[in-house]
Amino acid sequence: MSLLQVEKLTKNFGGLAAVSMVDFKLESNELVGLIGPNGAGKTTLFNLLTGVYVPTSGEIVMEIDGKKERLNGVKPYVITKKGLARTFQNIRLFKELTVLDNVLIAMHQNSKAGVLASIFRLPKYYRSEEGMRQEALSLLSIFDLDNKQQELAKNLPYGDQRCLEIVRALATKPKILFLDEPAAGMNPQETADLTKQIRKIQQDFKITVVLIEHDMSLVMDICERIYVLEYGRMIAHGTPGEIKQNPKVIKAYLGGEE
């Protein structure tokens, strides 16, 4: 089966169907785009896949160590441990902590020190802490943030805060990384740099990356496949070339008439 398989996924808020009967699948080691007008249900879909929301109906199934696991209703922290990580449309950093500590917090779920070693500060604990610190600095260096490791997150420029959130997500060792509008608020040069880094991350870490993005040049440039949502329903799926020429997508999102 696919790495992640979604079938007839639906989320109702009262009488409103924010996501309706959505089919969606992800394979290992690919870069996928999710686009659509504002209010189409893109972030709601991310919230369903990462445990923030519980589906009203439908199935979310992930292949983990060769076995199928149903993720409906699983808590977000458990889903993170299973290999799904995300960033948010509105930056959610620990702003009063340092850049380095933001990453280390994300890494501690994978700590191998053990409870006793951590409580009694045994040598294994210090070796584990130093190993995580070096790994965190290596991740920060992807975005040239290692030289800002002791700055408070709130003092970083906006673009760097966006990048730090991506690094923190990578620190959880995901199989799938969901990026919710990673280029939002960035200038053209920052967006161009980010585009290169997203592609490099996907290739170097051999993970699946899914991004919501309104910058069509970014999406068309790096995504292998694209899904299109409108009013909570999936109206198209295909390669960038196919999506550009799809009449439904042109009418709903890209501009123009059928």
Side-chain angles (χ1 to χ4, degrees):
M1 63 168 282
S2 301
L3 178 59
L4 186 74
Q5 184 83 39
V6 173
E7 294 183 355
K8 295 180 172 55
L9 195 64
T10 297
K11 179 62 180 178
N12 296 329
F13 294 99
L16 173 67
V19 169
S20 180
M21 302 294 285
V22 164
D23 293 334
F24 181 84
K25 68 178 181 178
L26 298 172
E27 308 296 342
S28 297
N29 194 22
E30 64 173 349
L31 218 162
V32 177
L34 178 63
I35 66 173
N38 288 329
K42 303 183 297 296
T43 295
T44 300
L45 179 57
F46 268 25
N47 287 339
L48 289 167
L49 298 178
T50 56
V52 177
Y53 294 153
V54 177
T56 303
S57 61
E59 294 290 325
I60 306 170
V61 178
M62 186 174 180
E63 183 179 305
I64 301 174
D65 297 328
K67 298 179 181 179
K68 296 180 182 180
E69 290 200 25
R70 188 172 184 264
L71 300 185
N72 293 47
V74 176
K75 297 293 185 184
Y77 74 91
V78 178
I79 283 181
T80 300
K81 287 184 177 182
K82 291 181 182 297
L84 280 71
R86 66 163 311 167
T87 64
F88 290 85
Q89 195 171 0
N90 299 315
I91 297 172
R92 298 187 186 182
L93 295 171
F94 299 106
K95 295 190 175 182
E96 299 296 331
L97 297 182
T98 67
V99 168
L100 180 60
D101 283 341
N102 265 272
V103 182
L104 289 173
I105 284 173
M107 299 182 77
H108 269 88
Q109 71 167 5
N110 296 315
S111 174
K112 298 179 180 178
V115 176
L116 290 178
S118 299
I119 292 174
F120 294 105
R121 295 298 193 264
L122 301 178
K124 185 178 181 181
Y125 165 79
Y126 290 105
R127 289 195 299 271
S128 176
E129 288 293 301
E130 179 58 24
M132 286 192 294
R133 181 178 177 278
Q134 293 302 322
E135 188 176 350
L137 290 174
S138 177
L139 290 172
L140 286 168
S141 69
I142 295 171
F143 292 101
D144 295 324
L145 291 173
D146 49 325
N147 60 347
K148 299 179 180 179
Q149 59 178 287
Q150 294 305 322
E151 291 189 29
L152 295 182
K154 68 179 182 181
N155 293 334
L156 291 179
Y158 179 84
D160 284 350
Q161 289 190 32
R162 282 272 175 203
C163 292
L164 176 57
E165 199 174 29
I166 295 174
V167 171
R168 189 178 61 180
L170 284 172
T172 66
K173 300 183 184 298
K175 296 180 179 70
I176 304 173
L177 175 61
F178 296 97
L179 303 178
D180 195 345
E181 296 194 31
M186 289 188 173
N187 63 44
Q189 184 56 55
E190 288 174 328
T191 298
D193 292 342
L194 181 65
T195 301
K196 295 176 184 177
Q197 292 295 356
I198 290 174
R199 184 188 287 114
K200 188 173 188 300
I201 285 168
Q202 186 266 324
Q203 293 173 346
D204 289 355
F205 287 84
K206 294 181 171 54
I207 60 175
T208 296
V209 176
V210 188
L211 61 97
I212 293 172
E213 187 52 65
H214 287 292
D215 187 322
M216 286 299 97
S217 61
L218 188 159
V219 173
M220 296 297 175
D221 184 29
I222 65 174
C223 291
E224 301 160 56
R225 299 190 293 120
I226 299 172
Y227 286 93
V228 188
L229 275 174
E230 184 189 27
Y231 299 121
R233 291 184 175 274
M234 199 69 75
I235 63 169
H237 163 239
T239 65
E242 291 167 342
I243 293 300
K244 283 180 184 178
Q245 298 174 23
N246 187 299
K248 289 183 180 179
V249 179
I250 292 170
K251 183 178 180 180
Y253 188 55
L254 299 181
E257 299 293 334
E258 285 186 293

